[in-house]
Amino acid sequence: MLALKLLLVPAFLAVISFAGKRWGPNVAGWLAGFPSLTGPILLFLAIEQGPEFTARAAVSSLAAVFAAVAFGVAYAWACRRLHWFWSWVCAVLAWAAAGLLIGLIPNSALAALAVALLTLFIAPRVFPRARVQWGSNALPATELLLRMVAGAAMVLLVTAAAEALGSAWTGLFAAFPVMSTVLAVFSHRANGPGFAIALLRSMAGGFYSFIAYCLSVAVLLEDWGFAVTFIIAVTAAVVVQGTAKAIMMRSA
């Protein structure tokens, strides 16, 4: 499982980085909302820990959309004035506070879905707006490598923490904003705060596919088995991601 995560996340970071360089932060953010880290974690939890544990973890991951958006909003506001490191500290503190609040809601798929959808409804209204500029020059190889190494390191840290916790906290840590951290920090450094803000704002719109994936796992896994459940979950995430993109382009 670890080998797959270490390969998958850096590879996806590379794709998103190239997409951001070519098409800008809106496309990069939309791609980053896909459950590229949480998806594999839930799959292997189902194999190793069983369906009941994984279904509960998926409920927590679903509710963790609130924490992920809190991370993005905090970074977006902080980076307008602060260095990337302090912006990231503010974002992690916001994520932790949101995670504690998530623990107060009922541990049910319906409650988690309500929290996630309400979060995405409110999100566009609380992100700051910023002017975005980016160049068409090639992404330096060292910059890309650093992003991929940082992503792999984040996966190691999150996995180490998650494996020591129960299903609820495992689900929360499985949804830790690894993509948001790496992409926001490096975008902030390379392209300025406007690019990072636009990317994080678009990422919130991409979380609808994340919701579709986690909800499928939470609702279906115990009755349908892991093979059928994860086929449906991936299909639902892809369909929702494509639909969200079509809506985003129509409203642009």
Side-chain angles (χ1 to χ4, degrees):
M1 177 177 71
L2 183 58
L4 178 60
K5 286 185 288 183
L6 289 176
L7 290 172
L8 184 61
V9 173
F12 202 63
L13 276 166
V15 171
I16 294 171
S17 297
F18 283 122
K21 192 66 176 176
R22 175 63 179 83
W23 293 293
N26 291 332
V27 172
W30 166 73
L31 286 172
F34 197 79
S36 55
L37 173 62
T38 308
I41 290 178
L42 291 177
L43 172 61
F44 284 99
L45 279 176
I47 296 172
E48 296 176 359
Q49 302 293 336
E52 183 179 353
F53 182 97
T54 306
R56 292 199 303 267
V59 171
S60 295
S61 293
L62 179 59
V65 168
F66 171 60
V69 172
F71 178 99
V73 170
Y75 193 102
W77 281 102
C79 76
R80 300 169 79 217
R81 295 183 178 274
L82 300 179
H83 184 267
W84 68 262
F85 176 77
W86 295 113
S87 299
W88 179 76
V89 169
C90 292
V92 170
L93 290 174
W95 177 85
L100 293 175
L101 290 175
I102 289 170
L104 301 178
I105 69 172
N107 187 28
S108 72
L110 184 60
L113 177 62
V115 168
L117 291 177
L118 181 61
T119 297
L120 296 192
F121 176 76
I122 295 173
R125 296 160 176 79
V126 294
F127 272 97
R129 292 189 177 275
R131 297 178 64 182
V132 184
Q133 293 181 340
W134 75 92
S136 58
N137 296 330
L139 188 68
T142 52
E143 173 83 2
L144 180 60
L145 181 61
L146 282 172
R147 294 187 185 201
M148 296 172 72
V149 170
M154 290 290 295
V155 171
L156 285 173
L157 290 173
V158 172
T159 303
E163 289 180 351
L165 302 170
S167 60
W169 282 100
T170 295
L172 178 62
F173 274 90
F176 185 84
V178 172
M179 292 290 178
S180 301
T181 292
V182 176
L183 292 170
V185 166
F186 280 90
S187 296
H188 186 182
R189 289 175 61 252
N191 303 102
F195 192 102
I197 291 169
L199 186 147
L200 291 166
R201 184 185 181 91
S202 295
M203 192 180 298
F207 277 131
Y208 286 104
S209 64
F210 184 97
I211 290 175
Y213 186 97
C214 293
L215 181 63
S216 298
V217 175
V219 172
L220 301 177
L221 184 59
E222 291 189 73
D223 295 325
W224 290 58
F226 81 91
V228 173
T229 295
F230 282 99
I231 290 172
I232 292 174
V234 171
T235 302
V238 171
V239 170
V240 169
Q241 192 83 337
T243 303
K245 176 61 175 175
I247 294 173
M248 183 178 74
M249 292 179 64
R250 203 176 300 129
S251 60

